[in-house]
Amino acid sequence: TDKLFAVMRNMKADGKSLIIITHKLHEVLDVSDRVAVLRKGEYIGDVLTKDADQQSLTDMMVGHSVSLNINRPTPVNVEPRLKIEGLTVFDELGVKRLDNVSFTVNAGEVLGVAGIAIAGLYPVSSGTVTYISPETNEEKNLVGMDPMDIRKSGVAMSFVPEDRLGMGLVGSMGMTGNMMLRSWRKGASIFLDRKNPEALAQRIWQELEVVTPSTNFPVRRMSGGNVQKVLVGREIAQQPSVLMTAYAVRGLDINTSYTIYNLLTEQKMKGVAVVYVGEDLDVLLELCDRIVVLCGGQVSGVVDGRKTNKLEVGALMTRVEGGKADE
């Protein structure tokens, strides 16, 4: 990012005009001279960057004052929920994506992942992924099980993928139909029960303030932020014991982003083991209790989110040779 901004400054000095579109306000403030603000497709106004800060820009973008503080309460009743040990994974081209990776995901904690992440999209070459039941403390190795077998065995996991409409939701269906994707196997009848999914859709519509004309309105015609609210709301409604999110706020407006952060923190305080995969180090450092740093497919470190800083995490992300983590 710093190198890109240096190139942009050189282009400006050479008499070029540049436009940068980004949701990261610190980038806007760092590299721009003027900032134009759009809200709901309308031009609100522009300000000189030297006269602006993150709070003033956020208020213009949202239309009212927004708190930019991420609440990070101290974890309580922390216990292991998912143990990854010696995990090695190759993709379809034979490229090693994960190389002997080990770390633990704890209940009652937000675990951040800086770098690439895994959600079972590639087969495991070696290693184990062990789920520890919150009720019985029974341990179950999930490697080799398909998603339906995992679910039938009583493992309560939810996943918010990076690709909202490709992997998470069916774009041509409305909120109710997409709720049914998570519940249709519960009944034996070919006549699907729309009552419970419709009730859930209504609840998410109201509680998360989803902007849509109806619960049957195709989700692909919603804005990215509203699509994400539907997806996150549905996965949280499953009452998981492990909630994985991959780039949950990518491309979202700042107000929706903070809504998502607060939802994840609420789940953490309910005893859910939350995994947050993100690319914004500022958010990882504010939201997460621990951060697993991956580099070259290996764990290069596991750090305390309250005690580390961007320089330390950035250095771990760019190590040439990954080392074994100290948890």
Side-chain angles (χ1 to χ4, degrees):
T1 302
D2 289 340
K3 289 181 179 178
L4 171 63
F5 286 178
V7 170
M8 293 175 66
R9 291 187 181 98
N10 288 337
M11 292 177 69
K12 182 182 77 170
D14 197 34
K16 310 297 185 185
S17 296
L18 293 96
I19 300 174
I20 178 172
I21 302 171
T22 173
H23 283 282
K24 298 179 181 180
L25 294 185
H26 64 85
E27 294 182 353
V28 172
L29 295 167
D30 185 20
V31 76
S32 71
D33 297 291
R34 286 189 304 127
V35 185
V37 177
L38 304 178
R39 182 170 69 242
K40 295 182 179 180
E42 293 186 359
Y43 171 72
I44 302 302
D46 64 78
V47 295
L48 295 176
T49 304
K50 65 181 181 63
D51 298 329
D53 57 27
Q54 290 202 35
Q55 187 66 58
S56 64
L57 291 178
T58 300
D59 294 349
M60 285 182 69
M61 292 165 62
V62 178
H64 57 79
S65 182
V66 174
S67 173
L68 295 180
N69 294 320
I70 297 178
N71 185 30
R72 180 170 53 185
T74 302
V76 295
N77 300 322
V78 175
E79 56 184 25
R81 185 65 65 236
L82 205 62
K83 292 191 298 186
I84 289 83
E85 297 176 302
L87 199 65
T88 299
V89 173
F90 293 85
D91 65 16
E92 68 274 5
L93 300 177
V95 176
K96 185 182 290 186
R97 291 298 188 95
L98 294 180
D99 183 7
N100 194 31
V101 164
S102 299
F103 60 89
T104 301
V105 183
N106 293 325
E109 181 181 77
V110 176
L111 178 70
V113 179
I116 61 168
I118 183 163
L121 301 182
Y122 298 121
V124 172
S125 175
S126 61
T128 59
V129 178
T130 305
Y131 175 79
I132 304 166
S133 169
E135 289 84 18
T136 65
N137 287 326
E138 176 187 0
E139 296 190 0
K140 183 185 298 292
N141 182 18
L142 305 183
V143 172
M145 298 176 67
D146 66 37
M148 189 49 59
D149 288 336
I150 291 174
R151 184 175 176 182
K152 287 180 178 178
S153 69
V155 177
M157 296 181 68
S158 287
F159 177 47
V160 178
E162 178 181 0
D163 186 356
R164 298 163 197 157
L165 293 177
M167 291 179 60
L169 302 169
V170 176
S172 59
M173 294 165 54
M175 290 179 63
T176 300
N178 276 288
M179 299 305 122
M180 292 173 69
L181 295 178
R182 267 299 213 159
S183 61
W184 70 274
R185 287 183 184 267
K186 293 181 180 178
S189 171
I190 61 172
F191 300 103
L192 300 180
D193 175 20
R194 295 182 66 90
K195 185 176 181 180
N196 289 337
E198 172 63 20
L200 176 56
Q202 289 284 346
R203 185 157 62 88
I204 292 173
W205 188 12
Q206 300 300 323
E207 293 183 7
L208 299 187
E209 299 179 346
V210 178
V211 179
T212 180
S214 75
T215 55
N216 294 317
F217 186 75
V219 295
R220 69 161 177 256
R221 296 175 61 186
M222 297 180 189
S223 70
N226 287 295
V227 170
Q228 190 72 348
K229 288 179 181 179
V230 173
L231 180 54
V232 172
R234 184 189 69 186
E235 294 305 302
I236 288 177
Q238 305 307 310
Q239 297 182 311
S241 54
V242 179
L243 173 62
M244 298 181 62
T245 68
Y247 306 103
V249 300
R250 176 178 283 175
L252 302 188
D253 66 87
I254 194 164
N255 197 33
T256 302
S257 296
Y258 278 80
T259 298
I260 301 297
Y261 302 147
N262 290 332
L263 285 172
L264 298 181
T265 298
E266 286 176 11
Q267 292 303 299
K268 156 189 156 179
M269 298 311 292
K270 290 180 180 178
V272 176
V274 179
V275 179
Y276 179 86
V277 183
E279 58 189 353
D280 190 325
L281 294 187
D282 293 291
V283 172
L284 283 167
L285 293 172
E286 285 188 61
L287 175 68
C288 303
D289 300 294
R290 287 186 305 135
I291 302 171
V292 174
V293 186
L294 297 176
C295 177
Q298 296 181 320
V299 174
S300 56
V302 180
V303 295
D304 186 327
R306 291 171 172 79
K307 297 178 181 179
T308 190
N309 56 56
K310 281 203 292 187
L311 290 177
E312 180 182 15
V313 176
L316 289 169
M317 290 176 69
T318 54
R319 283 175 55 177
V320 177
E321 295 183 7
K324 186 176 181 181
D326 294 318
E327 293 206 41

